[in-house]
């Protein structure tokens, strides 16, 4: 009998006749961390789901062999798989908010696993749940038992997912992109947590990621996947020191590089003074209203043709600040745009200014209407803000698609027919077609693979140089900000804790929070 915990041999998976994983073979050894790395669509998650037979049955063809301690899992019956799922083999999914049941408390969701596989209920189950929450670093775990997923931060939700996966002390933990949606500081904490738990519990860890630099500190071996095949397999250190395959080298070199293009201008496009935003969070008929201070007295200037990076963790107030500047949220304080005061204008008075202030959002799939073609999506702004003939409108759409590096012939297709990177280019084209004086870029690369991130950053810099664009660039990814921003402000709890030229802040950060952010990305201080 083999010493391997998992053995995959000649695995092939096809959806409706289209092969997505072909002739894949790999082993997971007891107690080791194996990283499966590649871009979106390379077949990583399909391979992981094949281990637990979680792929949809309709339209899916799976051949080859997947064995757990010699037991064949392909074709195994429901009762055999149920004994393994969540018990001997557990899985952490990429997005905890969609993986956790919004209608059940944290206690109930973890308790279901314990009841099903261990027969634990009542006080015994509660004691085990508290132990698990403490193990994964949840603060004040007893107070969190009755909490629902929406009441937790992204990092806390992911820790709950890990606690649920560890409930039955599995031999193998599959972590499918467990940190993609998290801030850099939270990413680091979750990875260190997984590493310490793996060592403490002696379990195997299959880590799936598109970011090679992220797995460097945790994996013992790495398998690199491209187009459904493993193109390179090596010990972690050997792969990083001397990658053999061109695709491995491409992934390692995918970090956005360079610094912001020099722009010699002193003309202010935007001036914000003492901007504050607060949200009501409590109070009632006989109680005074309570407020959450999301943005607290922030001031900033932005010159034409430059990029201001706004950096901070989730919940720090970055996106709220951006939306308040564009008058999408009520705020107090002064906002001057191209010399005109906007803070006193109502929504009707703001409409002529909307053409000059455009937004590119974090999730291109969510921000593009699935019912509209690319032509309709991009031309919609022209119809509202710059009416022209059908022929002129078509010409402008073609021109802007060429500007963002997309084939104009694809303009009659729909968003779901494009990759994530292509969809983000469409979102940029939608904003760019109106030739705005200011573009708010709200985490425009965080949902993308590293290689695609690099392409989008290069595109944004080229467009800025070509058209003299002015950017407000919101991100928690300092590597991207370093390549984009001329100046930078660092926000924590709604306040600016540090500001200055980007290069100065990267070379010599003064505030402990800025130093923590830089350390978390493993960028040189």
């Amino acid at each position: 009998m083999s010493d391997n915990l998992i053995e995959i041999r000649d695995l092939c998976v096809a959806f409706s006749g289209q092969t997505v994983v072909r002739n894949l073979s790999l082993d997971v050894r007891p107690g080791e961390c194996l990283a499966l790395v590649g871009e979106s669509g390379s077949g990583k998650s399909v391979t992981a789901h094949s281990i637990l037979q979680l792929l949809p049955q309709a339209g899916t063809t799976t051949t080859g062999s997947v064995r757990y301690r010699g037991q064949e899992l392909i074709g195994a019956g429901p009762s055999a798989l149920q004994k393994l799922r969540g018990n001997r083999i557990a899985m952490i999914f990429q997005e905890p908010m969609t993986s956790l049941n919004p209608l059940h408390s944290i206690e109930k969701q973890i308790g279901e696993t314990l009841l099903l596989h261990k027969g634990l209920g009542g006080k015994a189950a509660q004691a085990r749940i508290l132990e698990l929450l403490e193990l994964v670093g949840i603060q004040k775990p007893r107070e969190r038992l009755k909490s629902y997923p929406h009441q937790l931060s992204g990092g806390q939700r992911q820790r709950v997912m890990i606690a649920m996966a560890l409930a039955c002390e599995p031999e193998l933990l599959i972590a499918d992109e467990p940190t993609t949606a998290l801030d850099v500081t939270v990413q680091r904490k979750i990875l260190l947590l997984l590493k310490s738990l793996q060592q403490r519990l002696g379990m195997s860890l299959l880590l799936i990621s598109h970011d090679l630099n992220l797995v460097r500190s945790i994996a013992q071996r790495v398998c690199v996947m491209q187009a459904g095949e493993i193109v390179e397999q090596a010990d972690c250190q050997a792969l990083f020191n001397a990658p053999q395959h061109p695709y491995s080298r491409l992934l390692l070199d995918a970090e956005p590089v360079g610094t912001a293009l020099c722009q010699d201008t002193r003309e202010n496009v935007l001036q914000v003074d003492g901007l504050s935003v607060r949200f009501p969070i409590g109070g009632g008929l006989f109680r005074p209203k309570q407020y959450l201070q999301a943005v607290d007295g922030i001031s900033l200037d932005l010159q034409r043709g430059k990029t201001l990076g706004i950096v901070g963790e989730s919940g720090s107030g970055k996106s709220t600040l951006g939306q308040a500047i564009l008058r999408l949220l009520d705020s107090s304080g002064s906002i001057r745009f191209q010399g005109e005061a906007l803070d006193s204008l109502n929504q009707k008075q703001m409409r002529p200014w909307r053409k000059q202030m455009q937004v590119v959002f974090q999730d291109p799939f969510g921000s593009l209407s699935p019912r509209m073609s690319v032509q309709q999506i991009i031309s919609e702004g022209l119809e509202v803000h710059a009416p022209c003939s059908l022929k002129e409108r078509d010409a402008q759409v073609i021109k802007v698609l060429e500007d963002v590096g997309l084939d104009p012939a694809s303009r009659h297709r729909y968003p779901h027919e494009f990759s994530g990177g292509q969809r983000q280019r469409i979102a940029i084209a939608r904003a760019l077609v109106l030739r705005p004086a200011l573009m708010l870029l709200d985490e425009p690369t965080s949902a993308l693979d590293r290689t695609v991130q690099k392409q989008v950053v290069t595109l944004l810099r080229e467009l800025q140089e070509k058209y003299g664009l002015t950017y407000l660039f919101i991100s928690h990814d300092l590597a991207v900000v370093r390549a984009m921003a001329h100046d930078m402000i660092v926000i924590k709890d709604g306040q600016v804790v540090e500001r200055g030229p980007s290069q100065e802040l990267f070379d010599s950060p003064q505030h402990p929070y800025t130093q923590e952010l830089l350390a978390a990305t493993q960028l040189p201080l």
Side-chain angles (χ1 to χ4, degrees):
M1 187 174 171
S2 171
D3 291 334
N4 294 318
L5 187 67
I6 297 288
E7 285 187 348
I8 301 177
R9 295 291 180 268
D10 300 320
L11 178 68
C12 294
V13 180
F15 296 138
S16 301
Q18 182 176 351
T19 302
V20 292
V21 173
R22 54 174 60 83
N23 301 323
L24 182 141
S25 297
L26 64 83
D27 299 322
V28 182
R29 302 163 189 164
E32 80 162 347
C33 176
L34 173 68
L36 198 56
V37 177
E39 294 176 286
S40 295
S42 60
K44 309 182 304 296
S45 294
V46 172
T47 301
H49 283 68
S50 297
I51 294 174
L52 284 172
Q53 298 294 287
L54 293 174
L55 298 175
Q57 293 184 351
T60 303
T61 305
T62 306
T63 60
S65 173
V66 178
R67 291 179 176 271
Y68 162 73
R69 292 201 176 279
Q71 177 186 352
E72 181 60 60
L73 300 184
I74 292 182
S79 59
L81 291 172
Q82 186 175 319
K83 290 177 183 177
L84 293 178
R85 292 173 180 163
N87 187 20
R88 307 320 307 144
I89 304 174
M91 194 162 184
I92 306 167
F93 297 95
Q94 179 172 350
E95 179 44 70
M97 194 59 181
T98 55
S99 303
L100 295 170
N101 191 324
L103 302 178
H104 290 172
S105 67
I106 300 310
E107 180 180 17
K108 184 172 182 179
Q109 297 194 55
I110 302 176
E112 284 177 340
T113 304
L114 293 170
L115 182 63
L116 178 66
H117 293 293
K118 299 292 185 184
L120 284 181
K123 290 189 176 181
Q126 188 180 87
R128 176 60 176 156
I129 293 167
L130 287 170
E131 182 186 339
L132 288 164
L133 292 177
E134 199 169 315
L135 181 68
V136 298
I138 292 286
Q139 300 294 319
K140 300 178 181 177
R142 189 170 291 278
E143 295 178 17
R144 292 298 184 188
L145 287 177
K146 303 303 180 185
S147 297
Y148 290 84
H150 72 274
Q151 297 174 305
L152 305 177
S153 70
Q156 288 173 327
R157 286 193 291 266
Q158 198 61 288
R159 288 172 187 267
V160 169
M161 285 289 295
I162 295 171
M164 197 182 304
L166 295 177
C168 298
E169 299 178 1
E171 289 186 286
L172 172 64
L173 179 62
I174 303 172
D176 188 359
E177 300 274 13
T179 62
T180 298
L182 304 177
D183 297 322
V184 285
T185 48
V186 183
Q187 279 185 5
R188 192 180 200 186
K189 290 171 184 174
I190 293 295
L191 278 181
L192 291 174
L193 171 64
L194 287 172
K195 186 176 183 178
S196 66
L197 289 173
Q198 183 223 349
Q199 292 171 347
R200 193 189 317 176
L201 303 176
M203 65 182 177
S204 300
L205 177 63
L206 177 60
L207 178 65
I208 297 169
S209 179
H210 63 252
D211 190 346
L212 261 178
N213 292 314
L214 205 62
V215 305
R216 187 171 196 167
S217 61
I218 185 172
Q220 278 108 38
R221 286 193 302 128
V222 180
C223 293
V224 181
M225 285 192 72
Q226 182 186 25
E229 298 181 276
I230 292 180
V231 296
E232 185 166 359
Q233 191 170 167
D235 287 340
C236 188
Q237 214 52 48
L239 185 90
F240 277 90
N241 292 338
Q244 300 300 307
H245 196 275
Y247 183 67
S248 302
R249 291 195 289 272
L250 176 70
L251 290 178
L252 282 168
D253 294 336
E255 195 85 3
V257 292
T259 54
L261 301 168
C262 183
Q263 298 283 350
D264 187 15
T265 176
R266 294 178 185 174
E267 179 191 353
N268 263 5
V269 169
L270 180 69
Q271 186 173 350
V272 175
D273 292 303
L275 191 68
S276 295
V277 179
R278 61 179 190 166
F279 300 113
I281 56 172
L285 190 60
F286 301 108
R287 289 178 297 159
K289 273 194 172 182
Q290 295 179 315
Y291 292 91
L292 170 69
Q293 194 74 37
V295 173
D296 190 3
I298 290 181
S299 301
L300 58 88
D301 296 316
L302 180 55
Q303 289 76 44
R304 186 175 302 281
K306 286 195 171 185
T307 300
L308 175 66
I310 302 175
V311 172
E313 295 175 287
S314 293
S316 60
K318 307 185 302 295
S319 294
T320 302
L321 172 64
Q323 291 175 43
I325 289 171
L326 267 58
R327 296 297 319 284
L328 299 173
L329 290 174
D330 290 334
S331 61
S332 60
S334 169
I335 305 169
R336 297 189 71 82
F337 178 65
Q338 294 185 326
E340 297 289 332
L342 301 185
D343 46 272
S344 60
L345 302 183
N346 60 36
Q347 290 304 312
K348 186 177 180 181
Q349 292 168 326
M350 274 296 301
R351 185 164 180 172
W353 293 100
R354 296 295 181 203
K355 178 183 176 183
Q356 296 296 316
M357 309 164 79
Q358 290 293 301
V359 191
V360 178
F361 294 100
Q362 176 175 353
D363 177 12
F365 197 67
S367 64
L368 301 176
S369 172
R371 295 181 177 86
M372 296 171 70
S373 68
V374 170
Q375 168 87 22
Q376 293 169 322
I377 287 169
I378 296 175
S379 63
E380 187 179 28
L382 293 172
E383 293 172 29
V384 174
H385 295 292
C388 55
S389 70
L390 193 62
K391 186 177 179 181
E392 289 174 330
R393 204 158 62 221
D394 200 41
Q396 289 189 58
V397 171
I398 290 171
K399 175 68 169 64
V400 79
L401 284 172
E402 290 172 343
D403 282 340
V404 299
L406 290 175
D407 182 2
S410 67
R411 67 188 185 279
H412 301 298
R413 290 160 56 189
Y414 289 81
H416 72 272
E417 299 178 80
F418 295 86
S419 69
Q422 289 172 323
R423 284 196 289 264
Q424 198 59 291
R425 288 171 185 264
I426 293 167
I428 293 168
R430 176 176 61 180
L432 184 64
V433 74
L434 291 171
R435 296 289 182 262
L438 174 68
M439 283 177 67
L440 172 64
L441 305 168
D442 191 355
E443 302 272 15
T445 62
S446 64
L448 305 175
D449 293 327
R450 272 298 190 194
T451 49
V452 183
Q453 276 188 2
K454 190 174 184 179
Q455 294 166 11
V456 171
V457 167
T458 301
L459 170 66
L460 289 169
R461 291 173 63 181
E462 289 172 351
L463 291 172
Q464 183 173 46
E465 186 177 27
K466 184 175 181 179
Y467 294 112
L469 297 173
T470 307
Y471 294 146
L472 267 176
F473 194 91
I474 296 172
S475 182
H476 63 252
D477 190 335
L478 293 184
V480 176
V481 173
R482 188 176 204 168
M484 283 290 301
H486 299 86
D487 300 295
M488 194 166 97
I489 61 173
V490 182
I491 299 181
K492 186 178 191 295
D493 299 328
Q495 296 181 321
V496 175
V497 296
E498 192 162 0
R499 69 173 74 225
S502 295
Q503 205 54 51
E504 283 185 20
L505 264 66
F506 279 99
D507 291 342
S508 181
Q510 301 300 308
H511 196 277
Y513 181 65
T514 311
Q515 293 167 357
E516 182 187 357
L517 288 176
L518 285 165
T521 56
Q522 299 178 335
L523 293 171
L525 291 177

